[in-house]
Amino acid sequence: MIRFEELQMKIMDAAKNYLDVFDMATLIEQYSLNKESKLSMTLPEIKPPYPISATVSFSYNAHQTSFSILLDEDDVEDEEEHFDNMVEVEVVINLPFIEEYNQLGELFEEIVNEYPDLDPILIKKEFFRKDLVQGGEYEIVYSYMVGGEELKDLQFYEEMFFELSNILQKIYDRMKFYIDISWYRADEDDSF
């Protein structure tokens, strides 16, 4: 089992080859000492505010954390049958919030068809404003179960972020017109 920080840096290094990482957080649960890493990223050409972004996260429970710190690589070989060294790397793509965009289902279907191995799901988070106007934010979520030698394989991370950058680019290209209209309309002077 590789160390938490080593996996975090492998993911960060691979992500920077394809995307612009704008936030990185490490969360440590005070009592259990479980650790979680979250990296937020977007396409290099997108400037704040980021209409489309992705978050890649993984966590180690306390046993995995101590296992990765205390044991040498040789010990891992002997202990592997007694320890689950799998890590779930979760990818969440935050889709742009655009009112009246009605082609989201088609776009999601295209992504599912192009990347069937990812087994992505589309999640809608509904919210209500004070004026009782209903809205929603959409996310595409998928994950990888990584373990053993794959945790150390740089090629795996390169492929993961190459796919993610292609998915983000496809979404951005399809929604750019609507993003420009709805996100930047407030910047225009409507007084004429």
Side-chain angles (χ1 to χ4, degrees):
M1 184 85 185
I2 68 173
R3 295 175 191 267
F4 176 89
E5 294 77 11
E6 187 181 348
L7 178 55
Q8 191 175 43
M9 293 320 295
K10 282 181 186 296
I11 289 175
M12 170 69 101
D13 290 344
K16 288 192 302 188
N17 292 334
Y18 300 95
L19 299 161
D20 180 22
V21 178
F22 61 85
D23 189 37
M24 178 173 144
T26 302
L27 311 164
I28 302 173
E29 209 284 320
Q30 184 175 359
Y31 297 106
S32 68
L33 299 181
N34 292 345
K35 288 184 175 183
E36 182 179 8
S37 175
K38 287 187 177 211
L39 279 80
S40 299
M41 57 202 72
T42 191
L43 294 166
E45 68 266 22
I46 297 179
K47 305 294 178 225
Y50 306 113
I52 184 169
S53 64
T55 303
V56 175
S57 62
F58 70 93
S59 62
Y60 274 31
N61 62 37
H63 189 63
Q64 288 172 311
T65 301
S66 62
F67 189 78
S68 70
I69 291 172
L70 299 175
L71 295 179
D72 296 331
E73 291 297 318
D74 297 335
D75 295 334
V76 173
E77 302 288 325
D78 301 333
E79 298 287 329
E80 251 176 355
E81 69 241 15
H82 302 297
F83 182 74
D84 181 15
N85 65 353
M86 298 295 286
V87 176
E88 182 178 17
V89 178
E90 183 181 64
V91 179
V92 177
I93 298 172
N94 304 299
L95 298 175
F97 177 71
I98 298 173
E99 292 180 13
E100 299 177 22
Y101 182 77
N102 56 7
Q103 298 165 357
L104 196 56
E106 295 168 22
L107 179 58
F108 178 68
E109 250 182 74
E110 276 184 46
I111 292 168
V112 169
N113 291 336
E114 278 185 47
Y115 303 94
D117 294 345
L118 297 180
D119 196 23
I121 57 172
L122 181 65
I123 296 175
K124 180 181 182 182
K125 295 181 174 180
E126 290 192 89
F127 59 85
F128 296 90
R129 296 192 314 226
K130 284 191 289 189
D131 54 4
L132 298 179
V133 174
Q134 184 177 356
E137 294 178 352
Y138 291 88
E139 298 174 342
I140 295 175
V141 180
Y142 59 93
S143 62
Y144 300 89
M145 290 305 291
V146 191
E149 289 302 310
E150 202 171 38
L151 281 168
K152 301 173 191 172
D153 184 9
L154 292 176
Q155 186 64 34
F156 167 77
Y157 302 108
E158 292 288 326
E159 290 170 8
M160 182 174 84
F161 286 105
F162 177 72
E163 281 182 340
L164 177 57
S165 68
N166 287 340
I167 293 170
L168 287 175
Q169 192 65 57
K170 174 187 270 300
I171 294 167
Y172 185 64
D173 291 345
R174 290 281 295 277
M175 298 180 86
K176 185 176 183 336
F177 174 76
Y178 301 98
I179 291 168
D180 290 344
I181 287 175
S182 78
W183 277 62
Y184 303 112
R185 187 177 5 197
D187 296 341
E188 297 173 2
D189 183 9
D190 295 330
S191 61
F192 64 96

